[in-house]
């Protein structure tokens, strides 16, 4: 009985870890497909569009903008410069995307 309980707990932990890794991979893929053109694959915005739009480096943004503010921008867009993704992505995808981006600044 104890072995079964241990196996169940270990299995649940592996499942949760795998789900989190999958979510992080999905967030990275979304970022690279939708955001990196302007923000750069590393978040430094050293791309043609990043320079043209005067996008700030992720290191500067993370220190001055909350995750909630970033989620709002990704969801609603930012003027004419950034598309809104609220209808294209689920809220958990947007949250993961913002977490991934913020992680680039650490």
């Amino acid at each position: 009985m104890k072995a079964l309980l241990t196996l169940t707990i270990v299995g649940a932990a592996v499942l949760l870890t795998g789900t989190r890794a999958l979510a992080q991979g999905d967030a990275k893929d979304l970022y690279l497909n939708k955001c990196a053109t302007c923000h750069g694959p590393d978040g430094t915005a050293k791309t043609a569009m990043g320079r043209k739009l005067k996008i700030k480096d992720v290191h500067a943004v993370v220190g001055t903008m909350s995750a909630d503010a970033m989620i709002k921008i990704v969801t609603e867009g930012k003027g004419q410069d950034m598309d809104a993704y609220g209808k294209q992505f689920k809220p958990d995808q947007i949250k993961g995307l913002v977490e991934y981006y913020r992680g680039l600044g650490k």
Side-chain angles (χ1 to χ4, degrees), residues 26-83:
D26 290 345
K28 181 179 180 180
D29 289 343
L30 285 176
Y31 179 83
L32 293 174
N33 287 324
K34 298 291 184 179
C35 311
T37 301
C38 298
H39 292 274
D42 59 358
T44 60
K46 293 181 181 177
T47 65
M49 286 301 293
R51 285 188 284 278
K52 179 179 177 185
L53 297 173
K54 298 180 180 161
I55 296 173
K56 294 179 183 174
D57 183 299
V58 66
H59 299 92
V61 175
V62 168
T64 60
M65 187 179 291
S66 70
D68 289 339
M70 290 180 180
I71 288 170
K72 183 176 180 177
I73 290 172
V74 174
T75 302
E76 299 175 4
K78 188 173 182 182
Q80 294 180 353
D81 294 336
M82 184 174 154
D83 294 338

Side-chain angles (χ1 to χ4, degrees), residues 93-105:
Q93 289 176 304
I94 292 174
K95 183 179 178 189
L97 189 58
V98 168
E99 287 174 358
Y100 177 79
Y101 177 72
R102 290 178 67 83
L104 293 174

